[in-house]
Amino acid sequence: MKIVVNNAHLIDPANGVDEVTNLYITDDCISHIGTEALDHFGADQVIEAEQRLLIPGLIDLSVYLREPGQEYKAKIATESEAAVSAGITQLCCMPEPDTTIDSMPTVDLIHKISSQQGKARINVIGAMSKELQGKQLTNMGGLKHAGCIAVTNQRQAFTSTYTLRMAMDYAATYDLLAFLHPIDKELTGRGVVHEGAIATRIGLPGIPAAAETVALAQIIHLAEELNIPVHICRLSSAKSVEKIRAAKKRGTRITADVAAHQLFLTEMDISDFNPLCHVQPPFRSQRDLDALRAGVADGTIDAICSDHQPHEIDAKLAPFQQTQPGISALETLLPLVMRLSEETAIPLNQLIASVTHNPAKIIRSLQGDLQIGNQADFTLFDKKDHWQLAIAEFISQGKNTPFAGWSFNGRTAMTFVAGKCVFDRSVK
Amino acid sequence: MDSNLSSMIDLSPGPLPSSLQLTREGKLRHFLTIEGLSPLMLEEILDRAEQFVTLPNKNQSKAPLLRGKTVINLFFENSTRTRMTFELAAKRLSADLINLDINTSATSKGESLLDTIRNLEAMNVDMFIVRHQHSGAAHFIARYAAPHISVLNAGDGHHSHPTQAMLDMLTIRQHKGAFPPLKVAIVGDILHSRVARSQIHALTTLCAGEVRVIGPRTLMPVGVEAMGVNVFHDLYEGLEGVDVIIMLRLQKERMQNALLPSAHEYYKRYGLRKEALACAKPDAIVMHPGPSNRGVEIDSVVADGSQSVILQQVSNGIAVRMAVMSMVMSAQSGKLK
């Protein structure tokens, strides 16, 4: 199968490409890029892509697929379909207390289901401790062997700083990158929103920024002492950005990500008890949001992820504290990143790198760019498609998004994984 | 199936509680929070409550304003005083009232809050009086309840307790008249107090001269200044020249959570005793939403002293609740005056 995409505005941050050109695909790989027509190519399919961006497929560092175990929330099939419809071609499946990926058979099962039903590439992140209880280490050597690309203890606390240190060190034995959430359990307490004037006004228990910075400082010190790389998941506060910036300056091998919604929403958005804005870590102040954006701008924050957490409707139908945190976010990742380029001075190339090339580097994926010879994972983004987010059109099984009604300029028209079209809006 | 479900139930949270509780004409439809209500609305509640205030030893006659209406006391958290005063208020307005005992109801068997509400709606009730341990619960119920139902917030988490605040305002007005010249001090566990939050909103809305909050740093919520209050950590300093002292109840568990070292130290530093009371104006009144812990936040001599209006607050509680109930029912049906 030979495909040519003509006259696309190709942006490939990894290779410094930002121009209107043609992309040639032979079977599953990119075979040529260039403005001059290849006469002898003999394409089976020609895609005219004027006014469209052609970017590498997005790599999402954090997705809760909910399967196996919580199929009432979401399934691998539905969520990977939602992913490719929004330009995401590769995603990292996170373990969680009800879907603990702490043994090889679970990893195998997820790989099996995704190879049968998945449209996107699915990488599995294993648990660092049995049932994520933070006590007994998992068989990380086995998890690595089963194909886990990293390990995490998700948002669950380790029972002691000692166990955290050991878990980090043991993971490094197998060259497994630790994805760590900086959350101090005690300082978080029963908190559900950012500690501040809004929490005070509406009487919801607050989570101080120190719940993040204290845990972050701990992780940074341990990583520096053990001399191992570490990836910090989901920053929410200005002080954390500062800490990461300083650690990077010192030469610590540290990378960090932020959820896209943290770059758009603040504590103000929960002032009407909006359960759709119940997330962990919580939306913080405008000052924190500005600092997160600055962190993305100067590269302190390497990657933007969706932190996709689809829920059944009942999970959000209760008083705020009783609702489950998380946003169904696959389908808003690219729209929000594009919106960020409209709202800030951050160059589009850099923002695209934060959802493609940078996450690829973190998980050492071969994807995330448009290198000739690489498997052709890319998405065509129609800049002229102005649309408004409607829940009825949401593909994810989880309808829990606070962005319903938001308007966006441009959206995914087609998505390819390994040279195969996995999504085409025109035939939907 | 899932998409059908989601189109049936709208997940968006709807308007802010402050606008949710008013009809399009600006009448009180639910009573969820003081925040966002106009000074005129608060005055109207106080004026109407004044009409319901009865003198002691006078026979209580029933008003027919809620005849044929069914009111449900939906208390997910324990309460004696608030629940009883709501009950008396409803009965004095001729309503039928049912106390739903949550501990023995379906909720304790795992029924969701929304299902409980739906089931009660099916029994043709007109008003829910809700107390819940979680902030925003009354707002949540008001948002999803059928349109003919009014929701009165009888306390939600640390958020709001609007009828308590209004009965306090009534008591203050009865003793002090206008609010603008007044200095009011609220003392104690501000962090966990829905009463304090509602009082602050009511006092600032009614343009009280100064609202002070007094307590240790561990019981002071972050950013409380943004609500329009001055913060004091010293009781004597904070009580200097005030017209009204509102003492808050201190829960015993605060000592276990490392918020306070001991009840003894709290009483020494923040308990209202004669010496502290002497810092306030000589005619200052002493209030407490109850139930009070004598010897923890207030001395018996003060609680029973001539400046204490604590029992008057209780009787005002019935009048204020009657006022609010009649107002929301008239906004709902349009039949009542």
Side-chain angles (χ1 to χ4, degrees):
Chain A
M1 179 86 173
K2 288 183 170 185
I3 303 169
V4 57
V5 184
N6 282 331
N7 298 315
H9 178 181
L10 191 144
I11 299 181
D12 180 14
N15 295 302
V17 182
D18 183 355
E19 62 189 14
V20 175
T21 185
N22 310 325
L23 180 90
Y24 295 84
I25 301 147
T26 306
D27 299 326
D28 56 346
C29 290
I30 299 167
S31 51
H32 184 72
I33 293 170
T35 42
E36 73 290 355
L38 285 189
D39 295 334
H40 57 275
F41 186 68
D44 303 297
Q45 189 185 356
V46 178
I47 298 166
E48 296 300 338
E50 265 172 45
Q51 294 296 332
R52 288 182 176 183
L53 293 180
L54 193 163
I55 59 175
L58 271 61
I59 299 177
D60 191 345
L61 289 180
S62 175
V63 174
Y64 291 86
L65 290 172
R66 309 296 198 196
E67 187 177 359
Q70 302 176 84
E71 288 81 357
Y72 58 95
K73 284 188 189 290
K75 296 173 204 72
I76 289 172
T78 57
E79 302 319 287
S80 73
E81 194 183 341
V84 295
S85 80
I88 300 164
T89 54
Q90 184 167 355
L91 50 86
C92 298
C93 164
M94 293 286 276
E96 56 180 318
D98 291 321
T99 305
T100 51
I101 307 173
D102 58 359
S103 66
M104 293 168 69
T106 316
V107 180
D108 292 340
L109 180 63
I110 294 170
H111 280 145
K112 193 176 151 207
I113 300 172
S114 60
S115 67
Q116 287 166 352
Q117 307 171 5
K119 291 189 168 175
R121 296 175 196 267
I122 292 177
N123 297 128
V124 180
I125 298 183
M128 289 176 102
S129 67
K130 289 260 164 71
E131 292 172 0
L132 294 170
Q133 285 177 354
K135 214 170 185 174
Q136 193 186 346
L137 304 189
T138 52
N139 300 329
M140 288 185 239
L143 290 174
K144 167 92 175 185
H145 185 74
C148 284
I149 51 132
V151 284
T152 183
N153 214 51
Q154 201 242 2
R155 290 169 167 86
Q156 308 303 310
F158 283 95
T159 47
S160 68
T161 323
Y162 169 82
T163 318
L164 166 64
R165 183 176 188 267
M166 290 303 128
M168 289 169 72
D169 212 9
Y170 188 73
T173 309
Y174 302 100
D175 203 16
L176 275 168
L177 182 63
F179 272 48
L180 297 174
H181 288 76
I183 296 176
D184 185 287
K185 190 186 168 193
E186 307 290 330
L187 287 174
T188 301
R190 290 167 49 248
V192 287
V193 294
H194 173 58
E195 182 180 279
I198 300 291
T200 291
R201 180 172 284 265
I202 64 177
L204 286 172
I207 304 173
E212 183 168 287
T213 50
V214 166
L216 178 59
Q218 235 174 29
I219 295 167
I220 291 174
H221 290 310
L222 292 173
E224 287 174 348
E225 187 178 78
L226 297 169
N227 191 25
I228 58 172
V230 65
H231 177 72
I232 305 296
C233 304
R234 307 319 97 75
L235 297 186
S236 72
S237 81
K239 284 268 192 314
S240 302
V241 179
E242 255 172 54
K243 280 203 155 35
I244 303 260
R245 191 175 287 132
K248 283 190 166 182
K249 215 168 257 174
R250 284 197 300 274
T252 309
R253 288 186 284 160
I254 192 168
T255 51
D257 71 51
V258 65
H261 41 253
Q262 288 281 359
L263 301 168
F264 288 88
L265 301 175
T266 67
E267 55 179 344
M268 295 298 288
D269 294 288
I270 46 102
S271 60
D272 55 355
F273 296 106
N274 186 351
L276 295 171
C277 291
H278 182 188
V279 288
Q280 195 191 12
F283 291 128
R284 297 194 184 274
S285 67
Q286 184 65 42
R287 207 176 55 82
D288 291 301
L289 181 143
D290 293 340
L292 290 170
R293 286 184 172 197
V296 171
D298 72 2
T300 301
I301 297 175
D302 302 79
I304 303 174
C305 68
S306 73
D307 202 22
H308 177 67
Q309 294 171 57
H311 283 296
E312 80 284 16
I313 221 157
D314 287 332
K316 292 289 185 184
L317 276 176
F320 193 93
Q321 276 161 281
Q322 291 178 311
T323 58
Q324 294 174 39
I327 290 176
S328 177
L330 283 171
E331 289 157 84
T332 48
L333 176 59
L334 184 54
L336 288 175
V337 166
M338 288 300 189
R339 196 181 167 116
L340 198 58
S341 81
E342 294 166 15
E343 289 186 10
T344 67
I346 309 172
L348 182 59
N349 299 22
Q350 192 186 333
L351 285 171
I352 289 174
S354 72
V355 285
T356 57
H357 182 53
N358 297 355
K361 279 193 294 184
I362 291 167
I363 61 169
R364 285 179 276 176
S365 164
L366 296 172
Q367 309 308 126
D369 58 36
L370 299 171
Q371 183 78 39
I372 292 167
N374 258 7
Q375 294 221 322
D377 287 12
F378 65 91
T379 190
L380 282 170
F381 185 83
D382 185 351
K383 290 189 277 188
K384 287 269 161 98
D385 188 352
H386 304 291
W387 59 292
Q388 199 176 33
L389 198 154
I391 293 294
E393 291 169 28
F394 233 47
I395 294 172
S396 167
Q397 192 174 317
K399 311 297 178 192
N400 49 304
T401 175
F403 297 105
W406 282 44
S407 294
F408 296 100
N409 296 322
R411 77 170 142 177
T412 301
M414 292 177 97
T415 304
F416 287 76
V417 174
K420 207 175 121 223
C421 179
V422 288
F423 174 77
D424 185 348
R425 190 169 301 281
S426 66
V427 299
K428 266 203 75 72
Chain B
M1 196 207 112
D2 295 293
S3 56
N4 289 340
L5 199 70
S6 62
S7 59
M8 273 160 55
I9 303 177
D10 186 1
L11 264 181
S12 72
L16 289 164
S18 49
S19 54
L20 183 67
Q21 61 189 349
L22 297 177
T23 64
R24 207 168 290 164
E25 296 77 35
K27 289 190 165 176
L28 202 62
R29 181 175 182 279
H30 306 291
F31 195 41
L32 308 175
T33 173
I34 304 281
E35 190 180 1
L37 294 180
S38 67
L40 276 177
M41 174 67 76
L42 300 193
E43 300 276 6
E44 189 187 337
I45 294 171
L46 295 179
D47 292 344
R48 196 180 270 249
E50 203 72 72
Q51 297 167 10
F52 289 118
V53 173
T54 48
L55 299 167
N57 306 324
K58 196 184 152 214
N59 264 351
Q60 189 65 54
S61 60
K62 276 195 178 186
L65 295 172
L66 261 64
R67 181 167 292 153
K69 300 288 181 188
T70 306
V71 177
I72 298 215
N73 256 344
L74 205 53
F75 278 53
F76 294 86
E77 203 182 61
N78 289 334
S79 154
T80 314
R81 189 169 328 219
T82 306
R83 180 166 158 162
M84 273 182 60
T85 50
F86 266 112
E87 190 169 341
L88 275 171
K91 287 183 173 163
R92 286 183 189 170
L93 292 170
S94 314
D96 297 318
L97 180 124
I98 293 165
N99 279 310
L100 190 73
D101 192 346
I102 300 298
N103 291 328
T104 57
S105 78
T107 303
S108 63
K109 297 173 192 160
E111 186 177 67
S112 81
L113 180 53
L114 202 58
D115 281 332
T116 306
I117 298 305
R118 290 272 178 270
N119 278 283
L120 292 171
E121 271 174 19
M123 299 173 200
N124 278 328
V125 303
D126 301 283
M127 192 187 297
F128 289 135
I129 294 157
V130 181
R131 169 167 289 192
H132 199 282
Q133 63 274 31
H134 290 310
S135 301
H139 170 224
F140 172 77
I141 292 171
R143 159 114 177 86
Y144 287 102
H148 69 277
I149 290 176
S150 283
V151 177
L152 303 195
N153 188 358
D156 62 325
H158 306 151
H159 172 229
S160 167
H161 193 351
T163 56
Q164 175 69 45
M166 289 315 292
L167 73 88
D168 295 330
M169 296 308 114
L170 182 61
T171 312
I172 294 172
R173 197 172 79 165
Q174 284 166 345
H175 285 271
K176 300 288 172 192
F179 286 87
L182 299 183
K183 286 182 182 169
V184 181
I186 306 171
V187 186
D189 183 359
I190 312 292
L191 178 64
H192 299 94
S193 179
R194 55 191 170 216
V195 173
R197 285 176 176 79
S198 284
Q199 285 165 340
I200 292 168
H201 283 310
L203 288 164
T204 52
T205 305
L206 292 166
C207 301
E210 185 187 355
V211 185
R212 300 175 179 178
V213 288
I214 308 171
R217 289 174 57 93
T218 48
L219 297 180
M220 202 57 78
V222 173
V224 69
E225 302 84 356
M227 294 179 76
V229 299
N230 292 325
V231 178
F232 290 81
H233 300 302
D234 183 279
L235 180 66
Y236 289 77
E237 207 182 301
L239 290 183
E240 193 64 50
V242 300
D243 302 274
V244 178
I245 305 169
I246 302 173
M247 301 304 295
L248 298 174
R249 176 179 167 77
L250 184 79
Q251 307 275 354
K252 295 256 160 50
E253 61 260 28
R254 306 299 172 229
M255 266 65 82
Q256 273 113 55
N257 297 343
L259 289 162
L260 288 176
S262 67
H264 176 74
E265 165 135 323
Y266 184 79
Y267 185 57
K268 279 261 182 203
R269 301 290 154 208
Y270 297 100
L272 187 63
R273 290 169 296 161
K274 270 176 86 175
E275 310 83 77
L277 181 57
C279 298
K281 286 203 183 139
D283 63 344
I285 54 170
V286 175
M287 302 169 65
H288 194 300
S292 53
N293 293 315
R294 288 166 184 243
V296 177
E297 71 253 353
I298 192 162
D299 184 16
S300 284
V301 177
V302 174
D304 302 329
S306 58
Q307 287 166 270
S308 166
V309 296
I310 295 174
L311 293 177
Q312 190 182 348
Q313 286 176 269
V314 179
S315 29
N316 279 341
I318 302 172
V320 160
R321 280 154 191 149
M322 287 172 79
V324 173
M325 282 177 161
S326 62
M327 282 169 75
V328 294
M329 273 298 115
S330 79
Q332 279 289 12
S333 59
K335 286 176 206 155
L336 303 165
K337 282 180 195 155

